[in-house]
Amino acid sequence: MEILAFGVQADEKPLIERAFAGEFEVRCLEVFLDADTAPIAAGHEAISTSVNADLGAGVLRTLAAGGTRMIAQRSTGFNNIDLDVAAGLGFTIARVETYSPYSVAEFAWTLATAVNRRIVRAAGRTRDFDFRLDGLMGRDLHGRTAGILGTGRIGAAFARIAHGFGMRLLGWDVAENPECAALGMTYTDKEQLFAEADLISLHVPLLPATRHIVGAAALAAMKDDAVLVNTSRGGLVDTEALVEELRKGRFAGVGLDVYEAEAGLFFLDKSLEAVADDTLARLMTFPNVLVSSHQAYYTEEAVRQIVETTARNVSDWAAGRRSGNVLIPAAPEAD
């Protein structure tokens, strides 16, 4: 059986081919799955998709009509999938429940320190042989307060880094993580966290309850010189509200690895095209904003874990086995 993998990056391709070798053939495509590319999957019972794939109702119906029965997504997030429609069409859909938390946590810290210490501006200057220090003053993070929304595996890894820098830790989550509490983290409500934190890092999933968790009210409550970092999902931040606050000259720095309208932009070369997204274009004009292209997870260790788990998900489906990575069909309820 040949597996069709959509949205494969050049660095990712050999890892995918190695993970599937010996059991399945795999054909890697650079194009992302959407309404235009879905017909390519015709005749393939199983496909693999990336986090920016369009797995809405229309695409799912096209896939089903072409004979696809299994979708293995190479990510933990699945907010791009219409699970209700997929269930009605009889799909099996699996994801990668966990992978290296250090990849994202370390990148989040990299963004935080980069905007705090004006690294991008400094690098641009020195490339032009401008060695002035004006406008490059940062702040010690030691002794300041880190606010972490979401203290699962990635949030806990970020908390350990912040603790190593000597920061006070505030956390918010639906359940406390004993590992974070052992670091001295104080769990509090979102309002106190936004008001007191000097550095805020987001590590919660995108759900209806968390969409725009950093909205106008949260942004207004934050310190004028706070640093905000988002390496989770773009929809956690109300980007329009963020732009309005930035226009007022607020925040020491903002590091965004994700963007709520990134589909059709991130992972693609748009350098020769006019920028149609006015909000993203405005974000790019602020000297205290650093936008990267959803690369926090992109380490050799993490991608290897992701593709190996994806291959196991397909193997389990082919053998009739079920793992905790399966989203649908839903697990039967216990009696």
Side-chain angles (χ1 to χ4, degrees), residues 75 129 135 145 221 325:
S75 72
F129 291 89
T145 298
N325 293 324

CSV table of all heavy atoms in Angstrom, one decimal, residues 75 129 135 145 221 325:
chain,number,residue,atom,x,y,z
A,75,SER,N,1.0,16.1,13.6
A,75,SER,CA,1.0,17.1,14.6
A,75,SER,C,0.1,16.7,15.8
A,75,SER,O,-0.6,15.7,15.7
A,75,SER,CB,0.4,18.4,14.0
A,75,SER,OG,-1.0,18.3,13.8
A,129,PHE,N,27.6,47.1,9.2
A,129,PHE,CA,28.7,47.7,9.9
A,129,PHE,C,28.3,48.9,10.8
A,129,PHE,O,29.1,49.9,11.0
A,129,PHE,CB,29.8,48.1,8.9
A,129,PHE,CG,30.5,46.9,8.3
A,129,PHE,CD1,30.0,46.3,7.2
A,129,PHE,CD2,31.6,46.3,9.0
A,129,PHE,CE1,30.6,45.2,6.6
A,129,PHE,CE2,32.2,45.2,8.4
A,129,PHE,CZ,31.7,44.6,7.2
A,135,GLY,N,19.1,52.1,21.3
A,135,GLY,CA,17.9,51.3,21.0
A,135,GLY,C,18.0,49.8,21.2
A,135,GLY,O,17.1,49.1,20.9
A,145,THR,N,9.1,38.1,36.6
A,145,THR,CA,8.1,37.1,36.7
A,145,THR,C,7.7,36.6,35.3
A,145,THR,O,7.4,37.3,34.4
A,145,THR,CB,6.8,37.8,37.3
A,145,THR,OG1,7.1,38.2,38.7
A,145,THR,CG2,5.7,36.7,37.4
A,221,ALA,N,-4.6,44.5,30.3
A,221,ALA,CA,-4.2,44.3,31.6
A,221,ALA,C,-2.7,44.1,31.8
A,221,ALA,O,-2.1,44.2,32.8
A,221,ALA,CB,-4.9,43.1,32.2
A,325,ASN,N,-3.6,7.6,20.1
A,325,ASN,CA,-3.5,8.7,19.1
A,325,ASN,C,-4.7,8.8,18.2
A,325,ASN,O,-4.8,9.8,17.5
A,325,ASN,CB,-2.3,8.5,18.2
A,325,ASN,CG,-1.0,8.5,19.0
A,325,ASN,OD1,-0.8,9.4,19.9
A,325,ASN,ND2,0.0,7.7,18.6
